[in-house]
Amino acid sequence: MTGTEYDERLRRWRLVLGGESADGTGCALAGKDAAMDGALTALYGKGSGNHQGGRDRSAGLGASAPSVARWLGDIRTYFPSSVVQVMQRDAIDRLGLSTLLLEPEMLEAVEADVHLVGTLLSLNKAMPETTKETARAVVRKVVDDLEKRLATRTRSTLTGALDRSAKINRPRHRDIDWDRTIRANLKNSLPIPEKEGVYTVVPERLIGYGRASQSVKKDVVLCIDQSGSMAASVVYASVFGAVLASMRSITTRLVVFDTAVVDLTDQLDDPVDVLFGTQLGGGTDINRALAYCQSQITRPADTVVILISDLYEGGIRDEMLKRVAAMKASGVQFVALLALSDEGTPAYDREHAAALAALGAPAFACTPDLFPDVMAAAIEKRPLPIPDMVTHQ
């Protein structure tokens, strides 16, 4: 290792360890490095007796909005956007800054992301009118960015799945599904006289892909748990709900629930309205939510129900499982997602997940990028692309 490499490694360890007497680096910082260290210390350094939940808190930010706004500006200067978002979340959790987000000037200073939207939604009822317009603008920016990222692939993936699920028996040549056609006509195979052991298949029945039409082919019900732990999932599900609602071949119903059930289908043209129609927090009654969804199903064989929940049921467990079994028996494709987010393995009720798996409805976490593939598989009634690391089967 060269001297330059050693100095750089020492510098990095100094920034990580914080410069207290026990860090052992003996490295002094100056200029930009000192400013970065100050921003990190304000959040992660030990305070002078302030505690929350038994843990030391930093005293560096104080409690004033101006000092926090300056700190937010500093971290945006010194760190990349992905790091800024993590530090913002930590500041909200460690320093109790949620109430400061009710001030418009604070909202204008933060880096908008899915987690910030979740925090704002949890504060919605306490938000003064002077802040709501700014909050909606922040939420709008995040939602628009998500739609740009997710909409095109979702529409193209599901359009293909809808076409493939609409099989026709008198297809044009370019629309023939050769794999299914050959399998359906194997009983009609004949030997070729001049080629011993070689057979040809006589396709008495052709199976083809249906062409897209304006008719409704599938009904989709998104049933979303709006308990506080599901904030990111609520944001992503609302965006996907709006995308699905824009597709003419799919009717989409969006239902959110805690201990009450709210149907937000009439707001699907604007996912921001959907999000501000939710109320994060509270209890959970999955059984009541599924009872409502079940009452809205008119074409079970052409219906996909997506339950997005951590499965911590506050209602009647056995009734919940009976409803799932009844929906599946009627032909409904039922999918249980423990989370719809990029956050990794979620906390969830393993007993309920195992009970759903026993009914043939495996529960698993799903990233936003995988969601179109999951929906496509459900539409085509084929095995779901379940991630191995985040599943309960």
Side-chain angles (χ1 to χ4, degrees):
M1 180 186 300
T2 66
T4 300
E5 291 173 337
Y6 177 79
D7 289 343
E8 175 61 17
R9 180 170 292 185
L10 199 64
R11 166 186 168 271
R12 288 176 177 271
W13 273 113
R14 165 61 183 80
L15 286 168
V16 169
L17 295 173
E20 296 179 1
S21 58
D23 81 354
T25 64
C27 179
L29 301 176
K32 180 180 177 181
D33 287 345
M36 291 174 63
D37 186 57
L40 290 168
T41 300
L43 177 57
Y44 300 112
K46 291 184 178 180
S48 55
N50 291 325
H51 298 278
Q52 183 178 25
R55 296 180 301 169
D56 286 329
R57 284 181 52 188
S58 165
L61 295 183
S64 69
S67 64
V68 175
R70 284 193 298 272
W71 178 79
L72 287 167
D74 287 344
I75 64 174
R76 293 178 74 171
T77 299
Y78 300 125
F79 302 98
S81 177
S82 58
V83 175
V84 169
Q85 292 171 6
V86 172
M87 293 179 73
Q88 285 179 172
R89 294 200 297 273
D90 287 347
I92 291 170
D93 293 339
R94 292 167 63 92
L95 308 180
L97 300 184
S98 296
T99 54
L100 290 180
L101 293 177
L102 300 180
E103 302 182 22
E105 59 271 21
M106 284 295 298
L107 282 179
E108 292 170 357
V110 296
E111 187 81 18
D113 69 343
V114 169
H115 300 281
L116 177 64
V117 170
T119 301
L120 291 177
L121 296 179
S122 68
L123 297 171
N124 184 26
K125 301 303 180 184
M127 194 175 292
E129 290 300 323
T130 54
T131 306
K132 285 189 175 180
E133 184 176 347
T134 305
R136 287 185 72 91
V138 171
V139 174
R140 173 73 63 191
K141 179 181 184 302
V142 174
V143 166
D144 288 348
D145 289 346
L146 289 177
E147 281 196 295
K148 289 176 184 177
R149 169 189 155 194
L150 302 170
T152 300
R153 181 168 175 270
T154 300
R155 291 192 184 101
S156 62
T157 300
L158 297 192
T159 297
L162 289 164
D163 286 350
R164 288 190 295 273
S165 67
K167 301 299 177 184
I168 54 177
N169 292 324
R170 297 182 64 184
R172 290 173 290 185
H173 184 271
R174 65 187 181 191
D175 294 333
I176 296 174
D177 183 339
W178 286 109
D179 181 59
R180 291 188 179 223
T181 295
I182 291 171
R183 280 188 285 148
N185 289 278
L186 285 176
K187 62 183 179 181
N188 302 321
S189 58
L190 298 173
I192 299 176
E194 62 273 16
K195 296 183 179 181
E196 185 177 351
V198 178
Y199 292 77
T200 184
V201 173
V202 179
E204 291 184 354
R205 182 167 68 93
L206 298 177
I207 300 174
Y209 301 122
R211 282 299 187 188
S213 70
Q214 300 301 312
S215 62
V216 173
K217 295 176 180 175
K218 293 290 179 180
D219 298 333
V220 174
V221 181
L222 295 176
C223 186
I224 308 170
D225 182 345
Q226 60 176 351
S227 57
S229 60
M230 301 297 293
S233 297
V234 171
V235 176
Y236 281 115
S238 299
V239 172
F240 277 118
V243 173
L244 296 176
S246 70
M247 300 178 64
R248 294 183 180 181
S249 297
I250 296 175
T251 61
T252 305
R253 183 171 294 277
L254 189 143
V255 177
V256 299
F257 67 93
D258 42 32
T259 53
V261 180
V262 180
D263 192 325
L264 297 177
T265 302
D266 60 351
Q267 298 179 38
L268 272 174
D269 59 332
D270 188 342
V272 175
D273 286 341
V274 169
L275 289 171
F276 277 94
T278 62
Q279 184 173 345
L280 291 176
T284 308
D285 192 339
I286 303 173
N287 176 57
R288 176 177 291 186
L290 291 181
Y292 176 80
C293 294
Q294 190 177 25
S295 72
Q296 302 301 305
I297 295 172
T298 58
R299 304 190 307 155
D302 294 312
T303 298
V304 178
V305 173
I306 309 290
L307 171 66
I308 304 174
S309 173
D310 55 17
L311 301 180
Y312 288 110
E313 171 66 316
I316 307 173
R317 174 185 183 274
D318 290 342
E319 287 297 317
M320 175 189 76
L321 297 175
K322 286 179 181 178
R323 290 191 191 282
V324 174
M327 282 190 275
K328 287 184 63 64
S330 69
V332 171
Q333 293 297 107
F334 187 92
V335 179
L337 301 182
L338 302 170
L340 179 57
S341 71
D342 287 310
E343 297 178 322
T345 306
Y348 63 95
D349 189 307
R350 295 179 178 274
E351 183 180 349
H352 288 165
L356 287 175
L359 296 175
F364 59 98
C366 177
T367 64
D369 289 335
L370 181 62
F371 184 74
D373 296 323
V374 170
M375 283 296 306
I379 285 172
E380 295 182 66
K381 300 183 178 181
R382 54 182 171 81
L384 302 176
I386 301 175
D388 292 334
M389 294 178 62
V390 194
T391 182
H392 196 109
Q393 298 189 73

